[in-house]
Amino acid sequence: DLLHATGKPGEAAAVYRDILQVNPRHTPARLALAGLAIAENRLADARKEIGAALKDAPNNVQARYLEALVDFREGKTETARDRLAGVLKAAPSFVPALLLGGSIEFTLGNLQTAETHLNKVVKAAPRNPHARRLLAATQLRAGRPDDATRTLEPLDPEDSSDVGVNVVAGEIALAKKEWAKAAAHFEKAAEASPENATIRTELGIARMAQGDDRAMDDL
C-alpha cells in the first residue's frame, strides 16, 4: 500500500502477488491488484481478480463496487447501475460508490439522481475535483449555470490548469454567452489536450461567436 501511495504501482503489484503466494484467499491483495489493473485500463485482468475475491467473499462491498466500476468502464452502463444498487443499499455512505453512481446516472441522463449522489460526495469530500466537475456539469445540463458556477468555484477555474475544470468552466461560460471567457478556458484545455476534437470544437464555437478568424482553423 505504501508503494502504491508513493507512485510505484509495479513494485506494489509484485508485493501483492507475493501475498497471494502465501495466502491465495487474501481479499485485500486481490482487490488492490484489481484497482491497479483498472487504473491501467487492464479491465480483463481486473475482472479476473475481482472474480477470485468474490468467490471467497461474495458479499464484499469493495469487490462489488469494483465490479460495477469495470462494467461502467466497459460501457455496460445499465449493468453497472444494477450492480451498484446493491452496494449502495449495503453501504449508503460509501463515497466511491456514490461518485460512481453519480457518473452512471449522469451518463444515463438521470440528472436529479446524479445530483443527489454527487451532492453527498461533495459534502463528504469537498475538495474532490472529479465530484465537483461532474456536479457542475450535471447542474449545467439541468439548465442551472449559476449553480454550476458556484459548485466549480472552489476549484479556482480561472487559474486552474486542470483540463476537466477548464472544459466545464468553458461550457458554463458558453451557456452564459460569455464568449471571451469560454474561449480562454477552452484554449487552456486545448493546450493540454491538443488532439481532443470536442475541446477544439467548443473553442471554435467560442471564437466564432466573437468573430475570431481562428474559429475555422479550430473546426
Side-chain angles (χ1 to χ4, degrees), residues 140-171:
L140 179 60
R141 188 182 287 186
R144 291 157 38 216
D146 290 336
D147 287 346
T149 299
R150 285 190 287 272
T151 295
L152 203 63
E153 191 173 357
L155 299 181
D156 195 15
E158 301 309 315
D159 293 317
S160 177
S161 59
D162 183 285
V163 173
V165 171
N166 277 294
V167 168
V168 176
E171 290 172 346

Side-chain angles (χ1 to χ4, degrees), residues 12-210:
V15 177
Y16 291 135
R17 291 191 190 98
D18 287 343
I19 293 169
L20 292 173
Q21 288 293 321
V22 176
N23 178 8
R25 302 181 67 180
H26 194 281
T27 299
R30 288 271 179 212
L31 297 181
L33 282 171
L36 289 170
I38 291 170
E40 296 171 1
N41 206 36
R42 293 184 288 106
L43 301 181
D45 291 342
R47 198 177 283 282
K48 180 180 176 182
E49 298 295 351
I50 294 164
L54 286 171
K55 187 176 180 181
D56 292 324
N59 297 317
N60 185 285
V61 169
Q62 178 75 8
R64 292 294 180 189
Y65 155 72
L66 289 175
E67 189 177 33
L69 179 58
V70 170
D71 286 330
F72 184 60
R73 291 284 187 90
E74 290 179 341
K76 302 171 184 174
T77 310
E78 293 186 357
T79 301
R81 179 185 61 186
D82 294 342
R83 287 195 199 277
L84 194 68
V87 176
L88 289 171
K89 183 177 181 180
S93 300
F94 184 35
V95 170
L98 287 167
L99 181 54
L100 177 57
S103 300
I104 290 169
E105 299 297 348
F106 178 82
T107 301
L108 293 172
N110 301 323
L111 301 181
Q112 187 173 353
T113 307
E115 187 168 359
T116 297
H117 287 324
L118 294 168
N119 272 323
K120 291 178 182 177
V121 177
V122 168
K123 184 176 180 181
R127 297 296 298 176
N128 185 308
H130 180 53
R132 281 202 173 272
R133 290 196 310 264
L134 191 54
L135 178 56
T138 301
Q139 292 165 333
L140 179 60
R141 188 182 287 186
R144 291 157 38 216
D146 290 336
D147 287 346
T149 299
R150 285 190 287 272
T151 295
L152 203 63
E153 191 173 357
L155 299 181
D156 195 15
E158 301 309 315
D159 293 317
S160 177
S161 59
D162 183 285
V163 173
V165 171
N166 277 294
V167 168
V168 176
E171 290 172 346
I172 293 169
L174 280 183
K176 293 182 174 183
K177 298 183 179 180
E178 297 173 345
W179 312 120
K181 182 182 286 189
H185 284 297
F186 290 130
E187 282 170 8
K188 285 198 288 184
E191 286 175 8
S193 186
E195 301 304 316
N196 188 306
T198 301
I199 293 172
R200 185 64 67 177
T201 301
E202 292 186 301
L203 175 56
I205 292 168
R207 284 174 167 169
M208 189 179 294
Q210 301 175 86

